[in-house]
Amino acid sequence: MTATPLRPSAPARTTVATGWYSPADCSLDDFRAVVEAGLAETSLDDYPYADALEQGVLVYGARLREHTTTPEGRRDVQAELARALADGPGIVVVKKAFDTGVVDRATDVFRAMIEEQEAAGAVVGDHFAKPGANDRIWGALDKFAVRDPGAFAAYYANDVLALVSEAWLGRGYQVTSQVNVVNPGGQAQTAHRDYHLGFMDQDQAAGFPAQVHVLSPVLTLQGAVAHVDMPVETGPTLYLPHSHKYPAGYIAFHQPEFTAHFLEHSVQLPLAKGDAAFFNPALFHGAGSNASTDVRRMANLLQVSSGFGRAMEVVDRSAMVAALFETLRGLKAAGADERSLRNVVAASAEGYAFPTNLDRDQPIGGLAPQTQAELVWQALSQGWERAALVEALDAAGERRSSAV
Ligand SMILES: [Fe+2]
């Protein structure tokens, strides 16, 4: 039997990058060129609804409010905001986005939660700081709603949040929130990108093809609401405008030369209480050092997700893997090859660590907690009994559920 010769495949007809990125693809010169070209090209004249361009960041406020009173005006403003986040600097600041009285009311609720956490002796870990250096409220959205529905409704009635979320993600977006307090003396975060690919180490991110690197930033929107006045010495977030446009950035931000470049060229805008910043999750950024002696810098970090990050059908994956485990053990004992076993695990177990409860399910030795698929693989390769796996699955399910 003769093999059929392979036909050359048709040339790709796509405008989206494909293929794979590796650390060797990252070039600081290319990165610098992308950022500098962006800064040179950006003009306030191209953003008629913005009030100012400060340090390369578009600042909105009065003009935005003036033009969002009609459905047509709202659409136009949203189109401009999306353009600013995609083709422009990648970050917008909205002055006076939240009423300060409403912010203060939420701040009181958050402070009470932090005091309770401390009183309970909980040491809340953080991706970037030593436990205890900062105050964190993970999963602050549902905790806030359950604790003080009135304050929650006043806060999330906010239309700037809805305006920008819908501009970037469309309808059906989902809000989550984490409160971050950087205390005096708190250290700066390392430059990074955000969820999804920004929550992976270099090897994990390199496991996703280039078109997914294009997709990741349109699946979420990052926001930060200032809960106190944040002059520069308190360390408001550092940003590098236009850095979201560098294609291999999810790999590059792990490299020291990119981190050093960020520290030299990033900008830092002071915020007043109630101001909000929204940015493309692919933008290089990091919280600044708090050099003040007395300001506990509180921000509500909003992560808004696209409604599209879901499967069509519900699947009870814990039940599936518990049912499959004896079969997998039998296949392994009979000498099945690793790839076929891994394929069965990939088709049955949950392969993603999120969403989770970051109070209880904190990452160990990385940015993401263990996935169910990793747990099943661990059980299989270490020869666990089925009962031990079921127990671990139950414990993992418990860790992932919300605690409110
Ligand atoms: Fe971040």
Side-chain angles (χ1 to χ4, degrees), residues 166-228:
E166 203 179 82
W168 190 238
L169 304 163
R171 296 164 56 180
Y173 58 83
Q174 298 283 301
V175 179
T176 58
S177 129
Q178 301 168 351
V179 175
N180 190 31
V181 183
V182 177
N183 294 317
Q187 291 305 299
Q189 292 178 344
T190 319
H192 63 278
R193 286 182 166 188
D194 270 335
Y195 197 65
H196 294 253
L197 283 171
F199 259 62
M200 295 183 191
D201 64 28
Q202 194 167 244
D203 287 346
Q204 288 169 331
F208 289 82
Q211 70 275 15
V212 178
H213 289 237
V214 177
L215 172 73
S216 186
V218 294
L219 288 175
T220 59
L221 170 71
Q222 293 298 130
V225 181
H227 275 240
V228 294

Side-chain angles (χ1 to χ4, degrees), residues 28-42 240-243 261 265:
L28 186 59
D29 285 343
D30 291 351
F31 179 71
R32 196 195 309 252
V34 167
V35 168
E36 283 172 6
L39 286 171
E41 282 164 11
T42 305
L240 185 57
H242 303 279
S243 54
H261 182 84
H265 295 92

Side-chain angles (χ1 to χ4, degrees), residues 1-7:
M1 186 178 145
T2 51
T4 312
L6 288 174
R7 271 191 304 131

Side-chain angles (χ1 to χ4, degrees), residues 81-153:
L81 288 167
R83 186 159 54 81
L85 293 169
D87 300 330
I91 169 171
V92 299
V93 165
V94 183
K95 304 297 286 178
K96 299 189 170 141
F98 283 70
D99 175 84
T100 53
V102 169
V103 168
D104 285 342
R105 199 172 159 196
T107 300
D108 289 344
V109 177
F110 296 153
R111 288 213 193 286
M113 285 184 197
I114 290 167
E115 276 164 26
E116 274 174 27
Q117 275 182 185
E118 282 168 2
V123 178
V124 180
D126 188 300
H127 304 304
F128 295 97
K130 288 196 199 84
N134 297 340
D135 297 315
R136 268 271 178 185
I137 306 172
W138 296 116
L141 191 84
D142 49 3
K143 288 177 183 168
F144 184 13
V146 168
R147 187 178 182 112
D148 193 334
F152 180 96

Side-chain angles (χ1 to χ4, degrees), residues 341-366:
L341 292 172
R342 282 195 184 271
N343 291 348
V344 177
V345 174
S348 51
E350 174 56 58
Y352 203 46
F354 301 106
T356 193
N357 177 339
L358 284 167
D359 275 324
R360 295 192 294 217
D361 193 25
Q362 286 178 14
I364 301 160

